[in-house]
Amino acid sequence: MTAREWGLLALLSALWGGSFLFVGVAVKELPPLTLVALRVGLAAALLWALAPMLGIGPPRSVAAASALLVLGFVNNALPFSLIAWGQTHLPSGLASILNAATPLFTVVAAHFLTSNEKLSGLKLVGALLGFAGVAALVGPNLLAGAGVDLWAELAVLAAALSYALGAIFARRMPGLGLKPIDVAAGQATAAALWLAPCALVWNRPWTLPMPGAATIASVLAIASLSTALAYIVYFRILAGAGATNVQLATLLIPAVSVALGALILGERLAARQFLGYALIAAGLAFIDGRLPAKLLRFRDRPDRRAADSRLPTRRIPR
């Protein structure tokens, strides 16, 4: 990756890490469904407003439009709603750590749902480490019984599973004639179509009190920065550095979210939650594969002098 791509990766991590902070602020005054409907609706409106500049086009077939409807539900509407509800009971940092399980679910689901993404040895070790981290996070509440915190944690994990299935489903989009930026706008639009009626029926937002300035700013930020701009940056990295590199953001997002939650919201996490994040991060490193491979190559690097008898192992006096 170039320095520019590393900079974009840091920006993407900040944008997505900040989304947990913005949700944590906004859910104090807005119901989750209304918040998420505003998030995707405003993001879709912004992306379509920039369509001439970004080269966004509408789907050109019924199959493409139908696929975007499915992707909008699985990759935006459902996980965004689950995370927003989960954050009504969980610190934003903990929610981001649980969400970091997305690649773990992805490699396991891809093993069963695709023909060319089977689990390798490193990926299997990574998945086991990651799920051990998830167990460290959720296990105590699971043993204590089904309290609201447990259900909130399970909701965020269900969102991570939904993201994983969405990532696998999204692989068929190029075959339907959709460019990555078309998918970004299309899935946000589809998510808005799914969520707007639900929010109107269940939340009746016109009856809600006017939210404060911090909530309004958070909604605008999560829609424009953490959704619209984040997808533009995401697909820019994807085009230049590939899918493996863009997944590195998953390692950085919890660190950003935990730091922002501590500095701005005064959140504090328990030691076992940091342990869970460390295990998940180690699992992601094994799934990515590059760091373990470099360490193994360093350890197994042959000593040329020992391997080649023609090279003296010590200086021979003349």
Side-chain angles (χ1 to χ4, degrees):
M1 291 175 65
T2 66
R4 177 185 177 86
E5 288 162 347
W6 278 110
L8 289 173
L9 186 71
L11 175 60
L12 180 63
S13 302
L15 293 171
W16 276 345
S19 70
F20 292 91
L21 169 67
F22 300 140
V23 170
V25 172
V27 291
K28 295 177 181 177
E29 294 189 308
L30 291 176
L33 275 179
T34 297
L35 169 60
V36 176
L38 287 171
R39 174 182 182 175
V40 294
L42 292 173
L46 181 58
L47 286 169
W48 285 112
L50 297 174
M53 183 190 310
L54 299 174
I56 299 173
R60 298 180 180 178
S61 67
V62 174
S66 300
L68 286 173
L69 277 174
V70 174
L71 188 66
F73 179 79
V74 176
N75 210 40
N76 278 180
L78 181 59
F80 285 0
S81 300
L82 289 170
I83 290 172
W85 179 81
Q87 283 194 245
T88 61
H89 303 285
L90 299 176
S92 59
L94 177 56
S96 69
I97 292 173
L98 290 165
N99 184 64
T102 298
L104 309 178
F105 289 122
T106 303
V107 297
V108 174
H111 177 77
F112 294 101
L113 299 178
T114 69
S115 59
N116 60 345
E117 292 281 343
K118 300 303 181 183
L119 280 170
S120 64
L122 280 178
K123 287 184 178 180
L124 180 59
V125 171
L128 292 175
L129 279 172
F131 286 121
V134 172
L137 293 169
V138 180
N141 285 333
L142 188 64
L143 293 175
V148 67
D149 287 350
L150 173 62
W151 287 113
E153 291 168 351
L154 293 177
V156 178
L157 287 174
L161 175 59
S162 187
Y163 280 136
L165 296 175
I168 294 171
F169 183 80
R171 297 176 187 181
R172 67 183 65 191
M173 297 300 157
L176 297 172
L178 294 167
K179 301 190 301 292
I181 194 65
D182 297 334
V183 178
Q187 71 175 3
T189 304
L193 294 175
W194 283 108
L195 289 168
C198 298
L200 291 172
V201 170
W202 281 309
N203 292 159
R204 303 176 65 194
W206 62 88
T207 65
L208 300 174
M210 185 67 181
T215 297
I216 294 174
S218 294
V219 170
L220 293 175
I222 197 174
S224 60
L225 300 178
S226 299
T227 307
L229 178 58
Y231 275 121
I232 295 172
V233 174
Y234 171 84
F235 286 118
R236 195 69 170 280
I237 300 172
L238 191 65
T244 301
N245 285 316
V246 81
Q247 289 297 325
L248 292 173
T250 312
L251 283 169
L252 304 175
I253 289 169
V256 173
S257 181
V258 169
L260 291 175
L263 291 172
I264 298 175
L265 300 178
E267 297 175 347
R268 296 292 181 269
L269 298 182
R272 67 175 176 83
Q273 292 164 341
F274 284 105
L275 172 63
Y277 174 49
L279 289 170
I280 290 174
L284 296 180
F286 272 88
I287 289 172
D288 177 69
R290 283 173 287 186
L291 179 60
K294 286 184 178 180
L295 292 176
L296 287 172
R297 281 200 299 269
F298 179 79
R299 188 194 68 180
D300 297 335
R301 185 179 298 164
D303 185 273
R304 291 183 61 200
R305 294 187 176 186
D308 192 340
S309 60
R310 295 172 297 176
L311 295 176
T313 59
R314 60 184 177 86
R315 184 177 294 276
I316 301 175
R318 295 184 181 276

